[in-house]
Amino acid sequence: MRPIDPRLREELPGFSRYLAALGVLGAVTAAAILVQAELLATLLTAPAAGTAAALGGAVLGRAALTWLGGAVADRYTTTAKTTLRNRVLARSLGTRDAGRTATLVTRGIDGVHGYFAEYLPKLIGSVVIPLAVLVRLVSADLVAGLTVAVTLPLIPVFAALVGAHTRDRTDRQWRLLSTLGGHFLDVVTGLPTLKVFGRAKAQVETVRRMADAHANATMRTLRVAFLSALVLELVATLSVALVAVPVGLRLLGGGIGAQTALVILLLAPEAYLPLRAAGAKFHASAEGLAILEEVRTLPQAHPSGTRIPSTGEIRLEGVTVRYPDRDHNALSDVDLTIRPGERLALVGPSGSGKSTLLAVLLGFVQPTAGRVLVDGVDLRDLDLTAWRAQLAWVPQQPTIFPGSLHENISLGAEGDVAAAAKAAEIDFDRATGLSSGQRQRVGLARALMRPHADLLLFDEPTAHLDTATEAAILRTAAKLLDGRTAVLVAHRPAMTRLATRVVELRHGLLREKTCV
Ligand code: ADP
Ligand code: MG
């Protein structure tokens, strides 16, 4: 049986407390089992109304304990799942592994339910209850006690043997599901394109193949799970027989009292029961553990520093960015100083690294080499949340979130949403099915909702707008930009005219242009 991963204590708040609660519940349950067996044996050998009433109480008590255990486990599991979901979301910020994240956040995290709510309570019970039962058995009859003591370890040994096998299977099953999720998401997103190019059928085939592989892996895991349950059942039954037969014979021969014999016969199966239950939950727990490991190994968004940023000069020193699996730099050795109040236009052909430069300033992408200094402090040492609070960013493709247009513009910020919408030329009233140009106006309105931002980062905010709308937007932008520092990725001269200085990127190399 797998011990409890000590890392969980640090990873999940309240985990130790949960284990302690399970321990207490296990101990009380053990006491209830002993009392119940004792009372039942007494009732059978010397019937009395008082004993019957007490037995009824003990049975009710045990039922109440089971209910309480379930409630505690469910409550904790819900908290743990929320913590894990938040962690996945926080980690995947800035990474682009959407499929993996989506699989984890939706279906994946629920898989830890079996581990936290079912396996752990049974595991703790399987330590506390057999121990208590064993002590009582030894005190009742040494031979019976020893028999149980010798055969009990067989259950975890067999469970571990089967379990080692299960783990590999579940790991594989989880990986398959994850790939399937990622691929499925990509295919669904690209379905219109695939249809037009006549490739939809081929992709359906791929998804079907992966789904089949996943189904097969699941069936294999289940087969192993059923087999392991059978093995544990068999071991437990044989062991109880080993205790029961000699006790029965000695009872016939008068070597042991009827009450004691009954206590032994009633308690012996109880010693094996929790271990069998834990063993049966083992394969559910294996999935949970695989998922916990998946959460741990999720690519980290860069850890944030703690220094509070001050506004001032922003200086890029030899900044180079190379994305993983790329054979050329997105930015090469870029030196650039942005002085307070300066409005810098960044121009250059598509793919030259403009968006990447903004991503570096936003802290989404960390330079492969070189550094970014904000008022002399390395961006890596800055508290990124505080840093981003000073920024207003209009991305190239603003993301629209499920919700109303109002919510999409404010994104939780206080302020006059209607005024921002008007200034951004928003003449529509829904946030669904927006065109690129409409999205860009939502992006601009979002920036307008942050009038306290010191640094404005605009990534081709008017690329998808007609000239009339662009002109109106730029008039608003000019007001917003007044007296503030800005980096404007510009693709048209109209936008460049708002700048005080122009630099050009080509293949990741920066070049100063003559002043405008
Ligand atoms: P621009 O905004 O000037 O069009 P980008 O900064 O988006 O250019 O891209 C610069 C280069 O980096 C391009 O070659 C692009 O393919 C590559 N690139 C951009 N983003 C990523 C990414 N997330 N992963 C891998 N390569 C990327
Ligand atoms: Mg770009």
Side-chain angles (χ1 to χ4, degrees):
M1 222 138 293
R2 198 189 296 239
I4 297 160
D5 195 328
R7 283 177 293 181
L8 286 171
R9 281 174 210 277
E10 285 142 43
E11 288 169 353
L12 296 174
F15 185 65
S16 305
R17 225 174 327 125
Y18 177 53
L19 290 186
L22 290 180
V24 171
L25 276 169
V28 181
T29 308
I33 288 173
L34 295 187
V35 170
Q36 194 187 316
E38 214 71 48
L39 287 171
L40 187 57
T42 313
L43 188 69
L44 289 175
T45 45
T51 322
L55 180 62
V59 171
L60 281 181
R62 236 184 122 174
L65 279 172
T66 308
W67 175 83
L68 188 66
V72 167
D74 277 340
R75 225 188 105 157
Y76 180 74
T77 307
T78 309
T79 324
K81 282 200 277 198
T82 310
T83 311
L84 289 169
R85 281 211 169 87
N86 286 338
R87 180 158 316 149
V88 171
L89 287 174
R91 286 224 176 161
S92 51
L93 180 79
T95 69
R96 289 173 200 221
D97 211 341
R100 209 168 150 200
T101 309
T103 313
L104 260 182
V105 169
T106 51
R107 159 76 223 276
I109 299 294
D110 283 330
V112 302
H113 188 274
Y115 179 72
F116 286 113
E118 294 172 19
Y119 179 65
L120 279 183
K122 299 277 190 289
L123 184 69
I124 304 274
S126 76
V127 176
V128 181
I129 296 171
L131 264 181
V133 169
L134 203 57
V135 169
R136 177 68 188 97
L137 281 179
V138 169
S139 73
D141 180 70
L142 193 62
V143 182
L146 284 181
T147 314
V148 173
V150 170
T151 50
L152 254 186
L154 286 179
I155 303 231
V157 166
F158 276 103
L161 282 179
V162 185
H165 196 60
T166 320
R167 180 162 18 129
D168 298 342
R169 295 245 184 255
T170 346
D171 282 354
R172 191 177 124 74
Q173 184 192 346
W174 171 250
R175 269 198 311 278
L176 274 169
L177 183 63
S178 190
T179 329
L180 184 64
H183 194 84
F184 195 65
L185 191 70
D186 288 343
V187 168
V188 169
T189 324
L191 216 47
T193 319
L194 291 170
K195 266 240 160 331
V196 170
F197 287 92
R199 292 297 297 167
K201 277 240 167 59
Q203 282 304 324
V204 166
E205 207 33 61
T206 315
V207 170
R208 182 172 300 143
R209 238 191 1 260
M210 282 197 285
D212 282 349
H214 179 248
N216 284 338
T218 309
M219 285 315 289
R220 273 195 299 272
T221 315
L222 283 178
R223 223 173 289 146
V224 173
F226 287 137
L227 194 69
S228 69
L230 187 72
V231 169
L232 296 185
E233 216 53 38
L234 207 63
V235 172
T237 312
L238 286 177
S239 305
V240 171
L242 274 182
V243 176
V245 172
V247 167
L249 289 176
R250 277 164 60 209
L251 181 63
L252 286 179
I256 191 169
Q259 209 263 355
T260 317
L262 270 175
V263 167
I264 295 171
L265 290 179
L266 289 171
L267 279 183
E270 296 280 4
Y272 299 95
L273 201 62
L275 279 162
R276 269 161 56 204
K281 292 296 170 207
F282 185 85
H283 106 278
S285 87
E287 189 190 358
L289 286 170
I291 288 161
L292 286 171
E293 197 52 38
E294 175 84 9
V295 172
R296 283 190 196 107
T297 56
L298 212 62
Q300 260 288 18
H302 324 297
S304 169
T306 51
R307 297 201 38 185
I308 298 301
S310 55
T311 44
E313 191 179 79
I314 297 164
R315 187 199 289 269
L316 281 75
E317 289 182 351
V319 169
T320 299
V321 170
R322 178 172 306 202
Y323 289 103
D325 311 325
R326 290 291 167 132
D327 51 11
H328 61 270
N329 292 336
L331 289 176
S332 289
D333 201 18
V334 169
D335 289 312
L336 176 68
T337 305
I338 307 163
R339 282 174 285 277
E342 187 169 48
R343 295 194 298 279
L344 185 79
L346 196 57
V347 299
S350 164
S352 57
K354 305 181 296 293
S355 296
T356 302
L357 198 147
L358 293 194
V360 168
L361 288 174
L362 284 155
F364 289 148
V365 169
Q366 229 170 14
T368 323
R371 57 183 188 160
V372 180
L373 298 175
V374 178
D375 214 15
V377 183
D378 196 315
L379 194 58
R380 273 175 277 234
D381 300 328
L382 289 186
D383 177 336
L384 278 182
T385 311
W387 167 240
R388 288 179 188 141
Q390 300 189 0
L391 309 179
W393 172 47
V394 182
Q396 217 166 347
Q397 309 261 347
T399 308
I400 305 298
F401 300 97
S404 68
L405 183 65
H406 186 282
E407 288 164 335
N408 259 289
I409 292 173
S410 76
L411 289 186
E414 307 273 336
D416 192 345
V417 174
K422 187 160 179 288
E425 298 287 313
I426 290 181
D427 51 6
F428 43 93
D429 56 9
R430 293 170 58 93
T432 46
L434 298 189
S435 72
S436 302
Q438 289 174 321
R439 280 165 183 255
Q440 283 197 321
R441 280 178 268 170
V442 173
L444 269 165
R446 283 176 185 162
L448 290 168
M449 290 299 293
R450 314 184 57 142
H452 303 297
D454 296 304
L455 177 62
L456 308 173
L457 302 172
F458 286 7
D459 201 344
E460 308 192 8
T462 58
H464 301 286
L465 302 180
D466 57 88
T467 9
T469 315
E470 179 182 37
I473 294 266
L474 288 182
R475 276 195 297 278
T476 310
K479 267 183 261 160
L480 185 68
L481 289 169
D482 191 39
R484 266 188 276 206
T485 319
V487 179
L488 312 165
V489 177
H491 72 299
R492 281 191 227 165
M495 180 107 200
T496 319
R497 277 197 284 278
L498 295 176
T500 53
R501 184 179 150 211
V502 181
V503 291
E504 184 180 27
L505 269 172
R506 268 180 195 274
H507 303 300
L509 290 164
L510 192 79
R511 232 181 19 181
E512 199 85 22
K513 280 204 135 183
T514 40
C515 286
V516 280

